[in-house]
């Protein structure tokens, strides 16, 4: 059912808010300078993690990094919105005339905006909807907020059918009466498939109308059309519960229609790497093309398991390709480096430094190398020790930390702020520390967070006040940490009174009987 859209009337009132003077001061001070775009979020609403009407939730981030764009080096970036502020400002740096920006929406959806260099945009919210209003130039609501305009004008289930086909979880909350997950997805996909051709036709028609009436520039039109074409390409690997013939027919028909309308959609160009869906398609399709020739790597432990592709082999394979442009190859290898550096469980220190050196020599791009080193807190060196810092900023090593516990048994909890199973163990851990507070036993919580701010914020948020808190500061360069062989967290270890590692995979705090038996071995009078 289509809904009547009333934001034309609401925007001026919402923009000024209750305090007209205060809002005008914000707009005066936050206007964009050359080579940047300013986004002002008034009373921002979290969309990276979204709770649906039935109480279920879905999302990709809880940390506020919901603004997405591709920078001038073709690198996908996420910027944070501070949801604790009444008004927060996010600044994008770019020398390009037009920049595509996406905002996370309702957990797993995205809204696309195309801004001009120097734009200052105010976002006000109607429920979860971020409604953009340019303040430095005039532009129709339907152009600035094209993604929302589509959803409110043609979507029959809040979302476009192409989005539902790619992510059936968008409608899980509406179909929660179907308990079987496979049957639920099949019902959602079958319904969305019926609207697919109509939605694609109407999206093209809206774009044509905006261009014809001079409400949208040719550049904006081309970028939206290219994004639509890339989304169609992504769907080729989606809707797994639809028959293959029907799936191919559905997507190929849409792709053919777009190709006939604009033959240049078939062309490749480095400028297209600035469009998120196009860039994402290039990366995912490249990795997928090697699925039969590059093996997966697996690890299993008592606490869990996982697998990943051998991105070192993928890097070496791409090195000899001559069908990629220099920019395409650099982007693909940058993404490979991210996969290698982010998975120390599968790629040891020597491998990570070897391929980072290879990337540096291959492309001679200081900006990207420094970006990788900063992003993954890595240096071109290997430390034998495990360097740690205390909550008050004092530096030490794990070896010295254990040695300084005056002959007590030490129970170490390796965790991180982003690790949900780690956080779930914390209530049991608090109970355990209270139970053994009179015993010669020290509880050390050792975070592997790369950012100290995430670590400190999680301690405060989860009220983790018991025990001693430290953070590993050289996780990506420590041979000592690698030698402990911690493929997955949470992980627990016990050092005896002499500082010897006596159990490198100890029971969890919630395993009360097992942990009591284990502690009894080291807390008795017998040495």
């Amino acid at each position: 059912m289509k809904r009547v859209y009333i934001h034309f009337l609401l925007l001026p009132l919402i923009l000024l808010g209750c305090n007209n003077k205060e809002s005008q001061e914000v707009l005066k001070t936050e206007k964009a300078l050359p080579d940047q775009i300013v986004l002002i979020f008034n009373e921002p609403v979290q969309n990276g993690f979204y709770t649906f009407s039935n109480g279920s939730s879905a999302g990709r981030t809880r940390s506020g990094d919901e603004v997405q764009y591709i920078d001038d080096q073709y690198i996908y970036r996420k910027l944070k919105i501070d949801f604790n502020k009444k008004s927060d400002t996010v600044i994008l740096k770019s020398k390009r005339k037009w920049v595509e920006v996406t905002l996370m929406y309702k957990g797993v959806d995205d809204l696309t905006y195309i801004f001009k260099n120097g734009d200052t945009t105010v976002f006000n919210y109607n429920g979860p909807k971020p409604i953009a209003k340019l303040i430095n130039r005039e532009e129709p609501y339907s152009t600035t907020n094209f993604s929302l305009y589509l959803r409110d004008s043609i979507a029959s289930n809040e979302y476009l059918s192409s989005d539902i086909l790619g992510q059936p979880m968008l409608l899980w909350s509406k179909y929660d009466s179907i308990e079987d997950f496979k049957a639920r997805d099949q019902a959602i996909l079958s319904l969305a498939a019926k609207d697919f051709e109509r939605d694609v036709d109407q999206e093209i028609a809206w774009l044509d109308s905006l261009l014809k009436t001079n409400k949208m520039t040719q550049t904006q039109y081309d970028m939206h059309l290219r994004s639509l074409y890339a989304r169609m390409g992504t769907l080729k690997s989606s809707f797994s519960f639809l028959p293959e013939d029907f799936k191919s027919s559905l997507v190929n028909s849409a792709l053919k229609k777009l190709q006939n309308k604009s033959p240049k959609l078939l062309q490749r160009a480095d400028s297209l790497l600035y469009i998120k869906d196009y860039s994402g398609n290039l990366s995912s399709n490249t990795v997928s093309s090697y699925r039969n020739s590059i093996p997966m790597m697996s690890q299993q432990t008592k606490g869990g398991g996982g697998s990943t592709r051998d991105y070192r082999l993928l890097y070496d394979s791409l090195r000899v390709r001559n069908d990629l442009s220099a920019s395409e190859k650099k982007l693909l290898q940058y993404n490979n480096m991210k996969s290698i550096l982010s998975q120390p469980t599968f790629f040891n220190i020597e491998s990570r430094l070897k391929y980072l050196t290879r990337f540096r020599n291959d492309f001679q791009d200081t900006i990207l190398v420094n970006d990788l080193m900063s992003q993954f807190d890595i240096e071109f060196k290997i430390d034998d020790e495990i360097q740690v810092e205390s909550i008050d900023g004092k530096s030490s090593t794990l070896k010295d930390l254990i040695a300084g516990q005056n002959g007590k048994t030490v129970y170490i909890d390796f965790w991180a702020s982003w690790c949900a199973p780690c956080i779930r163990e914390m209530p049991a851990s608090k109970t355990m520390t209270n139970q053994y507070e009179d015993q010669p036993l020290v509880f050390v919580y050792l975070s592997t967070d790369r950012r100290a701010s995430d670590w400190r914020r999680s301690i405060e948020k989860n009220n983790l006040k018991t025990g001693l808190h430290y953070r590993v500061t050289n996780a990506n360069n420590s041979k000592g940490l690698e030698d402990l062989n911690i493929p997955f967290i949470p992980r627990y270890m016990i050092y005896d009174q002499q500082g010897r590692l006596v159990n490198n995979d100890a029971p969890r705090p919630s395993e009360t009987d097992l942990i009591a038996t284990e502690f009894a071995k080291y807390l008795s009078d017998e040495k």
Side-chain angles (χ1 to χ4, degrees):
M1 182 178 70
K2 295 183 180 178
R3 287 173 283 180
V4 178
Y5 207 77
I6 61 173
H7 296 305
F8 291 108
L9 300 176
L10 294 178
L11 257 173
L13 298 177
I14 298 173
L15 175 62
L16 297 180
C18 297
N19 188 334
N20 183 31
K21 181 178 179 181
E22 179 181 326
S23 296
Q24 293 302 317
E25 287 301 314
V26 170
L27 300 185
K28 285 179 184 177
T29 57
E30 301 293 353
K31 288 185 178 180
L33 299 172
D35 298 337
Q36 69 178 35
I37 293 169
V38 172
L39 311 178
I40 302 170
F41 297 90
N42 285 333
E43 298 184 359
V45 175
Q46 187 173 28
N47 266 301
F49 202 91
Y50 185 74
T51 301
F52 297 96
S53 57
N54 69 343
S56 64
S57 57
R60 289 165 284 173
T61 179
R62 290 181 182 269
S63 63
D65 50 345
E66 299 187 8
V67 180
Q68 308 158 91
Y69 82 112
I70 294 178
D71 70 14
D72 290 357
Q73 282 74 45
Y74 307 111
I75 303 306
Y76 169 75
R77 303 290 187 190
K78 292 195 292 186
L79 304 178
K80 288 182 180 293
I81 303 173
D82 189 341
F83 297 105
N84 295 315
K85 290 184 177 180
K86 187 174 181 180
S87 180
D88 190 34
T89 299
V90 176
I91 297 177
L92 285 63
K93 303 286 188 180
S94 177
K95 295 183 180 298
R96 308 196 310 271
K97 185 173 182 179
W98 294 95
V99 178
E100 178 192 79
V101 178
T102 58
L103 300 184
M104 294 184 184
Y105 184 55
K106 293 187 177 181
V108 290
D109 196 5
D110 284 308
L111 299 176
T112 300
Y113 304 82
I114 297 175
F115 295 121
K116 193 174 184 180
N117 199 311
D119 274 349
T120 297
T121 306
V122 175
F123 285 90
N124 291 285
Y125 288 77
N126 182 5
K129 296 179 181 179
I131 302 166
K133 172 68 176 176
L134 293 167
I135 65 171
N136 60 299
R137 60 184 176 88
E138 292 294 326
E139 184 174 84
Y141 168 89
S142 54
T143 299
T144 309
N145 297 277
F146 184 70
S147 288
L148 271 180
Y149 188 59
L150 280 174
R151 283 159 177 75
D152 290 323
S153 300
I154 69 176
S156 56
N157 281 293
E158 294 185 65
Y159 307 96
L160 300 176
S161 59
S162 58
D163 294 329
I164 297 169
L165 287 169
Q167 303 181 94
M169 72 281 290
L170 289 170
L171 294 188
W172 278 357
S173 62
K174 295 182 180 296
Y175 287 79
D176 58 1
S177 60
I178 305 176
E179 295 184 2
D180 180 78
F181 283 105
K182 185 174 181 179
R184 181 189 302 179
D185 279 357
Q186 189 168 4
I188 292 170
L189 293 172
S190 296
L191 180 65
K194 295 177 181 178
D195 295 333
F196 178 73
E197 185 175 358
R198 181 210 66 182
D199 282 3
V200 171
D201 288 343
Q202 291 197 47
E203 183 166 353
I204 295 171
W206 278 119
L207 285 171
D208 288 345
S209 174
L210 291 171
L211 180 65
K212 185 176 180 180
T213 56
N214 296 317
K215 293 179 180 179
M216 180 178 285
T217 68
Q218 184 68 51
T219 300
Q220 289 172 298
Y221 176 89
D222 290 342
M223 290 175 71
H224 278 299
L225 201 64
R226 170 58 72 173
S227 182
L228 172 60
Y229 186 70
R231 276 190 282 131
M232 296 301 101
T234 301
L235 290 179
K236 277 194 168 184
S237 59
S238 302
F239 25 108
S240 56
F241 300 122
L242 293 176
E244 186 64 33
D245 290 344
F246 180 61
K247 177 174 72 172
S248 298
S249 173
L250 200 66
V251 179
N252 289 338
S253 175
L255 290 172
K256 189 67 175 177
K257 185 177 299 182
L258 287 163
Q259 290 165 8
N260 289 337
K261 181 174 185 60
S262 178
K264 65 182 179 182
L265 290 172
L266 291 167
Q267 300 171 0
R268 282 168 51 186
D270 287 347
S271 60
L272 299 175
L273 297 174
Y274 294 125
I275 297 175
K276 184 167 74 75
D277 285 319
Y278 179 89
S279 178
N281 267 355
L282 175 68
S283 295
S284 61
N285 290 341
T286 300
V287 174
S288 179
S289 68
Y290 285 94
R291 63 181 177 272
N292 294 324
S293 57
I294 294 181
M296 298 293 289
M297 307 166 66
S298 299
Q299 280 215 33
Q300 295 291 327
T301 67
K302 183 178 71 174
S307 62
T308 190
R309 200 163 299 282
D310 193 337
Y311 288 96
R312 299 167 300 181
L313 295 181
L314 180 57
Y315 189 103
D316 293 338
S317 297
L318 291 178
R319 253 183 136 194
V320 298
R321 290 267 297 265
N322 55 18
D323 60 325
L324 298 167
S325 73
S327 295
E328 288 173 334
K329 185 174 286 190
K330 188 194 315 189
L331 173 61
L332 291 170
Q333 297 293 43
Y334 171 85
N335 290 335
N336 278 336
M337 285 309 310
K338 288 178 65 176
S339 297
I340 292 170
L341 296 177
S342 66
Q343 300 185 86
T345 295
F346 296 97
F347 308 107
N348 62 26
I349 293 175
E350 287 81 1
S351 286
R352 298 200 299 275
L353 292 184
K354 173 183 176 181
Y355 279 85
L356 184 57
T357 301
R358 186 166 292 178
F359 179 82
R360 180 180 62 180
N361 294 339
D362 284 349
F363 299 105
Q364 300 293 313
D365 192 319
T366 304
I367 292 176
L368 291 188
V369 172
N370 288 341
D371 176 81
L372 289 168
M373 293 176 67
S374 173
Q375 192 176 157
F376 296 99
D377 195 21
I378 194 169
E379 300 177 45
F380 284 102
K381 67 175 184 177
I382 297 176
D383 290 338
D384 291 329
E385 297 287 351
I386 301 174
Q387 303 289 336
V388 300
E389 68 171 356
S390 65
I391 198 71
D392 56 1
K394 294 180 180 178
S395 298
S396 182
T397 66
L398 181 60
K399 181 179 178 180
D400 290 341
L401 171 62
I402 293 170
Q405 299 311 313
N406 300 317
K408 296 179 181 179
T409 299
V410 179
Y411 179 79
I412 296 185
D413 178 342
F414 286 92
W415 72 290
S417 63
W418 48 263
C419 171
C422 301
I423 302 300
R424 284 198 295 268
E425 286 291 325
M426 291 304 178
S429 184
K430 292 178 185 178
T431 301
M432 180 181 65
T433 55
N434 291 332
Q435 180 182 352
Y436 289 93
E437 62 181 348
D438 296 327
Q439 298 291 324
L441 183 60
V442 176
F443 296 92
V444 175
Y445 296 87
L446 193 54
S447 168
T448 58
D449 277 296
R450 290 192 181 93
R451 292 193 292 260
S453 58
D454 293 338
W455 167 53
R456 296 175 188 278
R457 192 180 301 114
S458 185
I459 290 174
E460 189 67 31
K461 177 182 177 181
N462 294 288
N463 194 28
L464 308 179
K465 304 299 184 181
T466 57
L468 304 177
H469 284 272
Y470 288 82
R471 183 181 72 92
V472 179
T473 58
N474 65 338
N476 279 306
N477 298 82
S478 173
K479 190 68 168 61
L481 186 63
E482 189 169 272
D483 290 343
L484 288 178
N485 189 23
I486 308 173
F488 307 105
I489 55 174
R491 182 70 171 266
Y492 307 90
M493 296 185 183
I494 297 176
Y495 287 80
D496 68 9
Q497 297 92 331
Q498 287 73 46
R500 297 172 301 198
L501 178 59
V502 291
N503 191 334
N504 71 347
D505 195 3
R508 298 184 176 197
S510 60
E511 297 175 311
T512 52
D513 292 340
L514 291 175
I515 200 66
T517 301
E518 193 67 20
F519 283 162
K521 298 177 184 178
Y522 311 108
L523 297 178
S524 65
D525 292 333
E526 297 180 11
K527 302 295 183 182

